[in-house]
PDB file of all heavy atoms in Angstrom:
ATOM      1  N   ARG A  71     103.620 102.476  34.766  1.00  0.00           N
ATOM      2  CA  ARG A  71     103.377 101.248  33.997  1.00  0.00           C
ATOM      3  C   ARG A  71     103.522 101.578  32.516  1.00  0.00           C
ATOM      4  O   ARG A  71     102.943 102.537  32.037  1.00  0.00           O
ATOM      5  CB  ARG A  71     101.958 100.729  34.236  1.00  0.00           C
ATOM      6  CG  ARG A  71     101.699 100.273  35.647  1.00  0.00           C
ATOM      7  CD  ARG A  71     100.210  99.976  35.828  1.00  0.00           C
ATOM      8  NE  ARG A  71      99.944  99.481  37.155  1.00  0.00           N
ATOM      9  CZ  ARG A  71      99.819  98.194  37.455  1.00  0.00           C
ATOM     10  NH1 ARG A  71      99.939  97.287  36.512  1.00  0.00           N
ATOM     11  NH2 ARG A  71      99.581  97.811  38.688  1.00  0.00           N
ATOM     12  N   VAL A  72     104.290 100.750  31.830  1.00  0.00           N
ATOM     13  CA  VAL A  72     104.488 100.930  30.393  1.00  0.00           C
ATOM     14  C   VAL A  72     103.881  99.735  29.665  1.00  0.00           C
ATOM     15  O   VAL A  72     104.269  98.592  29.899  1.00  0.00           O
ATOM     16  CB  VAL A  72     105.991 101.044  30.051  1.00  0.00           C
ATOM     17  CG1 VAL A  72     106.208 101.045  28.542  1.00  0.00           C
ATOM     18  CG2 VAL A  72     106.594 102.286  30.692  1.00  0.00           C
ATOM     19  N   THR A  73     102.898 100.010  28.817  1.00  0.00           N
ATOM     20  CA  THR A  73     102.302  98.964  27.987  1.00  0.00           C
ATOM     21  C   THR A  73     103.148  98.834  26.723  1.00  0.00           C
ATOM     22  O   THR A  73     103.375  99.823  26.020  1.00  0.00           O
ATOM     23  CB  THR A  73     100.847  99.323  27.615  1.00  0.00           C
ATOM     24  OG1 THR A  73     100.092  99.484  28.823  1.00  0.00           O
ATOM     25  CG2 THR A  73     100.216  98.219  26.780  1.00  0.00           C
ATOM     26  N   LEU A  74     103.630  97.630  26.468  1.00  0.00           N
ATOM     27  CA  LEU A  74     104.521  97.406  25.325  1.00  0.00           C
ATOM     28  C   LEU A  74     103.722  97.267  24.040  1.00  0.00           C
ATOM     29  O   LEU A  74     102.701  96.590  23.997  1.00  0.00           O
ATOM     30  CB  LEU A  74     105.352  96.144  25.554  1.00  0.00           C
ATOM     31  CG  LEU A  74     106.237  96.145  26.806  1.00  0.00           C
ATOM     32  CD1 LEU A  74     106.974  94.817  26.929  1.00  0.00           C
ATOM     33  CD2 LEU A  74     107.229  97.304  26.781  1.00  0.00           C
ATOM     34  N   ARG A  75     104.206  97.907  22.994  1.00  0.00           N
ATOM     35  CA  ARG A  75     103.617  97.756  21.659  1.00  0.00           C
ATOM     36  C   ARG A  75     104.327  96.625  20.908  1.00  0.00           C
ATOM     37  O   ARG A  75     103.751  95.973  20.053  1.00  0.00           O
ATOM     38  CB  ARG A  75     103.753  99.046  20.857  1.00  0.00           C
ATOM     39  CG  ARG A  75     102.908 100.193  21.352  1.00  0.00           C
ATOM     40  CD  ARG A  75     103.200 101.493  20.614  1.00  0.00           C
ATOM     41  NE  ARG A  75     104.596 101.912  20.800  1.00  0.00           N
ATOM     42  CZ  ARG A  75     105.566 101.747  19.903  1.00  0.00           C
ATOM     43  NH1 ARG A  75     105.329 101.205  18.747  1.00  0.00           N
ATOM     44  NH2 ARG A  75     106.795 102.166  20.174  1.00  0.00           N
ATOM     45  N   VAL A  76     105.613  96.438  21.214  1.00  0.00           N
ATOM     46  CA  VAL A  76     106.437  95.412  20.583  1.00  0.00           C
ATOM     47  C   VAL A  76     106.946  94.494  21.681  1.00  0.00           C
ATOM     48  O   VAL A  76     107.530  94.961  22.665  1.00  0.00           O
ATOM     49  CB  VAL A  76     107.635  96.049  19.828  1.00  0.00           C
ATOM     50  CG1 VAL A  76     108.574  94.989  19.289  1.00  0.00           C
ATOM     51  CG2 VAL A  76     107.135  96.954  18.714  1.00  0.00           C
ATOM     52  N   PHE A  77     106.698  93.206  21.544  1.00  0.00           N
ATOM     53  CA  PHE A  77     107.149  92.234  22.539  1.00  0.00           C
ATOM     54  C   PHE A  77     107.175  90.857  21.916  1.00  0.00           C
ATOM     55  O   PHE A  77     106.632  90.649  20.816  1.00  0.00           O
ATOM     56  CB  PHE A  77     106.277  92.260  23.802  1.00  0.00           C
ATOM     57  CG  PHE A  77     104.795  92.129  23.526  1.00  0.00           C
ATOM     58  CD1 PHE A  77     104.196  90.879  23.432  1.00  0.00           C
ATOM     59  CD2 PHE A  77     104.006  93.259  23.363  1.00  0.00           C
ATOM     60  CE1 PHE A  77     102.840  90.752  23.186  1.00  0.00           C
ATOM     61  CE2 PHE A  77     102.637  93.143  23.112  1.00  0.00           C
ATOM     62  CZ  PHE A  77     102.056  91.886  23.020  1.00  0.00           C
ATOM     63  N   LYS A  78     107.793  89.892  22.610  1.00  0.00           N
ATOM     64  CA  LYS A  78     107.847  88.522  22.124  1.00  0.00           C
ATOM     65  C   LYS A  78     106.438  87.937  22.154  1.00  0.00           C
ATOM     66  O   LYS A  78     105.768  87.980  23.175  1.00  0.00           O
ATOM     67  CB  LYS A  78     108.783  87.692  23.008  1.00  0.00           C
ATOM     68  CG  LYS A  78     108.995  86.282  22.506  1.00  0.00           C
ATOM     69  CD  LYS A  78     109.990  85.553  23.392  1.00  0.00           C
ATOM     70  CE  LYS A  78     110.184  84.123  22.927  1.00  0.00           C
ATOM     71  NZ  LYS A  78     111.124  83.397  23.778  1.00  0.00           N
ATOM     72  N   ARG A  79     106.020  87.364  21.028  1.00  0.00           N
ATOM     73  CA  ARG A  79     104.657  86.848  20.918  1.00  0.00           C
ATOM     74  C   ARG A  79     104.646  85.331  20.940  1.00  0.00           C
ATOM     75  O   ARG A  79     105.290  84.702  20.117  1.00  0.00           O
ATOM     76  CB  ARG A  79     104.000  87.366  19.636  1.00  0.00           C
ATOM     77  CG  ARG A  79     103.832  88.871  19.696  1.00  0.00           C
ATOM     78  CD  ARG A  79     103.425  89.465  18.354  1.00  0.00           C
ATOM     79  NE  ARG A  79     103.466  90.922  18.449  1.00  0.00           N
ATOM     80  CZ  ARG A  79     102.451  91.667  18.844  1.00  0.00           C
ATOM     81  NH1 ARG A  79     101.318  91.126  19.186  1.00  0.00           N
ATOM     82  NH2 ARG A  79     102.564  92.976  18.898  1.00  0.00           N
ATOM     83  N   ALA A  80     103.926  84.780  21.904  1.00  0.00           N
ATOM     84  CA  ALA A  80     103.827  83.320  22.036  1.00  0.00           C
ATOM     85  C   ALA A  80     102.597  82.777  21.304  1.00  0.00           C
ATOM     86  O   ALA A  80     102.428  81.581  21.187  1.00  0.00           O
ATOM     87  CB  ALA A  80     103.777  82.929  23.508  1.00  0.00           C
ATOM     88  N   SER A  81     101.726  83.675  20.828  1.00  0.00           N
ATOM     89  CA  SER A  81     100.530  83.249  20.103  1.00  0.00           C
ATOM     90  C   SER A  81     100.136  84.341  19.121  1.00  0.00           C
ATOM     91  O   SER A  81     100.671  85.450  19.159  1.00  0.00           O
ATOM     92  CB  SER A  81      99.383  82.975  21.083  1.00  0.00           C
ATOM     93  OG  SER A  81      98.987  84.172  21.707  1.00  0.00           O
ATOM     94  N   LYS A  82      99.191  84.041  18.247  1.00  0.00           N
ATOM     95  CA  LYS A  82      98.749  85.026  17.258  1.00  0.00           C
ATOM     96  C   LYS A  82      97.925  86.144  17.886  1.00  0.00           C
ATOM     97  O   LYS A  82      97.864  87.244  17.363  1.00  0.00           O
ATOM     98  CB  LYS A  82      97.943  84.335  16.155  1.00  0.00           C
ATOM     99  CG  LYS A  82      98.802  83.484  15.247  1.00  0.00           C
ATOM    100  CD  LYS A  82      97.999  82.920  14.097  1.00  0.00           C
ATOM    101  CE  LYS A  82      98.901  82.080  13.205  1.00  0.00           C
ATOM    102  NZ  LYS A  82      98.189  81.493  12.069  1.00  0.00           N
ATOM    103  N   GLU A  83      97.277  85.849  19.001  1.00  0.00           N
ATOM    104  CA  GLU A  83      96.452  86.837  19.704  1.00  0.00           C
ATOM    105  C   GLU A  83      96.980  87.009  21.135  1.00  0.00           C
ATOM    106  O   GLU A  83      96.324  86.633  22.104  1.00  0.00           O
ATOM    107  CB  GLU A  83      94.987  86.378  19.747  1.00  0.00           C
ATOM    108  CG  GLU A  83      94.322  86.249  18.391  1.00  0.00           C
ATOM    109  CD  GLU A  83      94.009  87.598  17.766  1.00  0.00           C
ATOM    110  OE1 GLU A  83      93.777  88.554  18.515  1.00  0.00           O
ATOM    111  OE2 GLU A  83      94.004  87.680  16.532  1.00  0.00           O
TER     112      GLU A  83
END
Side-chain angles (χ1 to χ4, degrees):
R71 295 172 177 262
V72 172
T73 301
L74 301 178
R75 291 174 299 102
V76 174
F77 52 88
K78 185 177 178 181
R79 295 169 188 271
S81 66
K82 289 185 180 180
E83 297 287 331

